[in-house]
């Protein structure tokens, strides 16, 4: 009897500390496949062996496919305001708490089914860090909600209705991984409140212990638990709408520049954005399509392989198409803006890892700092549930284990609405991962 086995050599670290884990991005670009030696032993090659062919394992995993419930803006982005008398951050500090667990990339892929017939220790596919876009979107939303509350009080006192300030910029840094079994707690501090311009600092922590309801919604009592160190911090600026003298942008929009590619199929016929867009994972789950439990938005990845084929990495481009999975109230301009920021943080650095040739031997890919700028009045960032927005991504610089990602956000009408700049760590593993079959 011939028994086919499939040995997957991930390579870099050895048992007993063999783990396929997420990179330790602070609040994280998650589900990067790296092997971590928790005791920092001398790295060696590691072998993970299946008692069947990889194809058989993949078919069984695919057979387990199911639809996952997805949360819309109202559910996922809900923030509870914590009464000032219940915390000790001083006068003027406004505290908010998230209600739902943050999303973790790759968490809905059928890892258990894939590794059902594994010989030896079972790799772990994700670490502690959740998708960093969750806290990156919720922190500025907390700042906006604090200002919106102040505006309502002033209107009630004076009877004067002013135009709602919209988020103008978000400048954030990630410090330690965020956990999915407890809420984020946001402390909003006033930096400046002028007639038309506002600035707030938001420091984010999490309770030291899991929530009493770790699958959410998190109860109010979680905000009273002792908090750990800051996991994310940002400065958010807001400005009131204004009539500008000029309006200048690139003469050719992304829609026109890439019309030959975009016209090949309808937006929702492009591949659904992979849950974790790194070559080793997309290869293991090559037939596993769908959003998983990814909240808020429908996202699709345009195939840019022909366009990028003869170009150096800094000249390559990636287009992502997106829109809300369910309508977001049009008068909640700041809710719309943070959804753009949420989208723009997804998969960017690990896609660069693929372009750099690290897709099967990723050592670490982690966001360090991330800036988001809105160039228009806030109402021009409002999305309906019909038009598709474009994120145009490029990676102009990689050096000294750091990398740079830029992207432009284009409205369905071809207006350049926002830009993002992200700095992070990008490091290959010491030894390349190998996938090979052997027959016994």
């Amino acid at each position: 009897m011939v028994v086919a086995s499939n040995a997957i050599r991930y390579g870099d670290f050895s048992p007993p500390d063999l783990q396929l884990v997420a990179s330790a991005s602070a609040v994280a670009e998650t589900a990067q496949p790296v092997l971590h030696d928790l005791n920092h032993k001398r790295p060696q090659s590691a072998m993970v062996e299946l008692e069947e062919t990889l194809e058989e394992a993949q078919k069984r995993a695919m057979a387990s496919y199911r639809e996952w419930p997805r949360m819309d803006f109202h559910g996922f982005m809900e923030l509870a305001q914590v009464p000032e008398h219940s915390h000790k951050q001083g006068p003027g500090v406004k505290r908010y708490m998230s209600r739902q667990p943050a999303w973790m990339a790759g968490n809905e892929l059928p890892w258990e089914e894939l590794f059902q017939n594994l010989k030896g220790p079972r790799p772990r596919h994700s670490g502690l860090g959740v998708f960093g876009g969750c806290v990156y979107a919720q922190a500025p939303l907390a700042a906006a909600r604090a200002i919106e509350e102040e505006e309502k009080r002033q209107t009630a006192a004076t009877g004067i209705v002013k135009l709602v300030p919209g988020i103008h910029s978000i400048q954030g840094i990630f410090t330690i991984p965020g956990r999915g079994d407890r809420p984020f707690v946001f402390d909003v501090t006033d930096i400046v409140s002028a007639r038309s311009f506002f600035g707030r600092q938001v420091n984010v922590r999490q309770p030291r212990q899991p929530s009493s309801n770790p699958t959410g919604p998190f109860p109010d009592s979680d905000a009273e638990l002792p908090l750990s160190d800051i996991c994310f911090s940002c400065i958010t600026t807001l400005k009131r709408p204004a009539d500008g003298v000029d309006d200048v942008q690139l003469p050719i929009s992304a829609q026109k520049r890439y019309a030959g590619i975009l016209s090949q199929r309808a937006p929702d016929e492009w591949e659904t954005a992979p849950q974790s867009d790194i070559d080793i994972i997309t290869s293991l789950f090559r037939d596993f399509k769908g959003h998983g439990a990814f909240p808020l938005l429908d996202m699709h990845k345009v195939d840019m392989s022909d366009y990028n084929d003869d170009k150096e990495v800094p000249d390559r481009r990636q287009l992502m198409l997106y829109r809300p999975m369910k309508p977001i109230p049009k008068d909640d301009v700041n809710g719309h803006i943070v959804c753009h920021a949420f989208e723009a943080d997804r998969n960017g650095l690990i896609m660069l890892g693929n372009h750099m040739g690290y897709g099967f031997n990723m050592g670490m890919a982690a966001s360090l700092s991330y800036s988001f700028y809105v160039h228009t009045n806030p109402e021009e960032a409002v999305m309906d549930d019909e038009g598709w927005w474009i994120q145009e991504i490029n990676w102009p610089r990689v050096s000294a284990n750091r990398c740079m990602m830029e992207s432009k956000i284009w409205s369905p009408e071809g207006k350049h609405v926002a830009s993002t700049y992200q700095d992070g760590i990008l490091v290959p593993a010491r030894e390349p991962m190998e996938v090979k079959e052997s027959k016994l």
Side-chain angles (χ1 to χ4, degrees), residues 6 15 73 149 153 195 211 355:
N6 217 66
F73 177 84
E149 177 194 353
R153 284 205 305 264
R195 183 172 58 184
S211 170
H355 286 289

Side-chain angles (χ1 to χ4, degrees), residues 129-290:
V130 297
F131 171 48
C134 300
V135 70
Y136 192 85
Q138 290 173 332
L141 185 62
R145 294 297 189 242
I147 292 174
E148 290 163 3
E149 177 194 353
E150 295 164 10
E151 292 279 298
K152 289 177 182 177
R153 284 205 305 264
Q154 290 181 9
T155 297
T158 65
I160 300 174
V161 179
K162 298 179 181 180
L163 296 175
V164 176
I167 292 172
H168 170 252
S169 72
I170 309 164
Q171 300 176 63
I173 57 171
F174 300 94
T175 54
I176 59 176
R179 298 170 181 257
D181 59 0
R182 63 203 69 185
F184 291 110
V185 177
F186 309 88
D187 287 332
V188 182
T189 305
D190 191 345
I191 298 176
V192 60
S193 292
R195 183 172 58 184
S196 62
F197 183 79
F198 305 81
R200 298 292 184 271
Q201 180 168 351
V202 186
N203 289 326
V204 188
R205 298 176 175 86
Q206 290 188 290
R208 295 182 183 276
Q209 64 192 63
S211 170
S212 58
N213 187 30
T215 59
F218 299 127
D220 292 342
S221 57
D222 281 354
E224 301 174 4
L225 296 172
L227 300 177
S228 60
D229 294 335
I230 292 172
C231 61
F232 177 76
S233 182
C234 72
I235 293 176
T236 302
T237 64
L238 297 88
K239 63 182 287 290
R240 297 191 196 278
D243 294 326
V245 176
D246 297 303
D247 191 344
V248 180
Q249 67 173 45
L250 291 173
I252 303 177
S253 67
Q255 285 87 343
K256 293 180 179 179
R257 204 173 330 125
Y258 306 105
I261 300 172
L262 294 170
S263 63
Q264 293 175 13
R265 63 188 74 175
D268 58 358
E269 292 177 354
W270 293 102
E271 175 191 9
T272 303
Q275 291 188 40
S276 187
D277 198 354
I278 186 79
D279 286 340
I280 181 65
I281 294 182
T282 55
S283 296
L284 286 173
F285 298 100
R286 61 178 183 264
D287 297 321
F288 199 89
K289 309 299 181 183

Side-chain angles (χ1 to χ4, degrees), residues 170-427:
I170 309 164
Q171 300 176 63
I173 57 171
F174 300 94
T175 54
I176 59 176
R179 298 170 181 257
D181 59 0
R182 63 203 69 185
F184 291 110
V185 177
F186 309 88
D187 287 332
V188 182
T189 305
D190 191 345
I191 298 176
V192 60
S193 292
R195 183 172 58 184
S196 62
F197 183 79
F198 305 81
R200 298 292 184 271
Q201 180 168 351
V202 186
N203 289 326
V204 188
R205 298 176 175 86
Q206 290 188 290
R208 295 182 183 276
Q209 64 192 63
S211 170
S212 58
N213 187 30
T215 59
F218 299 127
D220 292 342
S221 57
D222 281 354
E224 301 174 4
L225 296 172
L227 300 177
S228 60
D229 294 335
I230 292 172
C231 61
F232 177 76
S233 182
C234 72
I235 293 176
T236 302
T237 64
L238 297 88
K239 63 182 287 290
R240 297 191 196 278
D243 294 326
V245 176
D246 297 303
D247 191 344
V248 180
Q249 67 173 45
L250 291 173
I252 303 177
S253 67
Q255 285 87 343
K256 293 180 179 179
R257 204 173 330 125
Y258 306 105
I261 300 172
L262 294 170
S263 63
Q264 293 175 13
R265 63 188 74 175
D268 58 358
E269 292 177 354
W270 293 102
E271 175 191 9
T272 303
Q275 291 188 40
S276 187
D277 198 354
I278 186 79
D279 286 340
I280 181 65
I281 294 182
T282 55
S283 296
L284 286 173
F285 298 100
R286 61 178 183 264
D287 297 321
F288 199 89
K289 309 299 181 183
H291 298 284
F294 183 70
L296 305 184
L297 305 169
D298 290 336
M299 287 184 63
H300 294 268
K301 181 183 180 182
V302 177
D303 184 355
M304 301 293 288
S305 55
D306 289 343
Y307 177 88
N308 291 328
D309 185 54
D310 60 348
K311 294 178 174 61
E312 297 296 326
V313 171
D315 295 322
R316 296 177 189 176
R317 297 293 184 271
Q318 180 59 56
L319 302 183
M320 306 300 296
L321 308 179
Y322 67 97
R323 67 183 182 185
M325 57 175 288
K326 290 184 180 179
I328 301 169
K330 291 188 176 182
D331 60 353
D332 187 1
V333 293
N334 290 312
H336 285 262
I337 290 171
V338 299
C339 284
H340 291 295
F342 176 80
E343 180 278 336
D345 191 39
R346 189 176 178 197
N347 278 337
L349 298 187
I350 58 175
M351 286 192 291
L352 172 57
N354 295 334
H355 286 289
M356 294 297 296
Y358 307 163
F360 287 88
N361 66 315
M362 181 70 76
M364 179 176 288
S367 300
L368 297 176
S369 62
Y370 173 20
S371 298
F372 183 91
Y373 298 91
V374 179
H375 307 303
T376 64
N377 283 327
E379 62 268 16
E380 295 188 77
V382 170
M383 300 175 282
D384 58 32
D385 56 350
E386 297 294 332
W388 289 89
W389 290 67
I390 296 178
Q391 180 194 12
E392 179 188 8
I393 306 169
N394 70 293
W395 304 273
R397 194 73 172 101
V398 179
S399 180
N401 291 342
R402 296 294 186 269
C403 60
M404 171 73 175
M405 185 183 88
E406 299 178 340
S407 62
K408 297 180 178 68
I409 304 298
W410 298 89
S411 74
E413 296 75 31
K415 177 161 285 193
H416 180 192
V417 171
S419 297
T420 78
Y421 304 89
Q422 191 167 156
D423 172 73
I425 299 174
L426 188 66
V427 184

Side-chain angles (χ1 to χ4, degrees), residues 110-121:
W111 294 94
E112 291 296 319
E113 290 77 9
L114 182 72
F115 291 127
Q116 179 176 311
N117 293 323
L118 181 71
K119 293 174 65 177

Side-chain angles (χ1 to χ4, degrees), residues 85-144:
H85 65 78
S86 66
H87 65 82
K88 300 178 180 179
Q89 297 303 302
V93 177
K94 293 182 172 61
R95 174 169 284 187
Y96 297 82
M97 184 189 77
S98 61
R99 285 294 195 191
Q100 298 295 336
W103 183 72
M104 180 175 284
N107 211 37
E108 294 91 43
L109 294 173
W111 294 94
E112 291 296 319
E113 290 77 9
L114 182 72
F115 291 127
Q116 179 176 311
N117 293 323
L118 181 71
K119 293 174 65 177
R122 176 165 296 188
R124 195 158 53 88
H125 66 87
S126 61
L128 297 176
V130 297
F131 171 48
C134 300
V135 70
Y136 192 85
Q138 290 173 332
L141 185 62

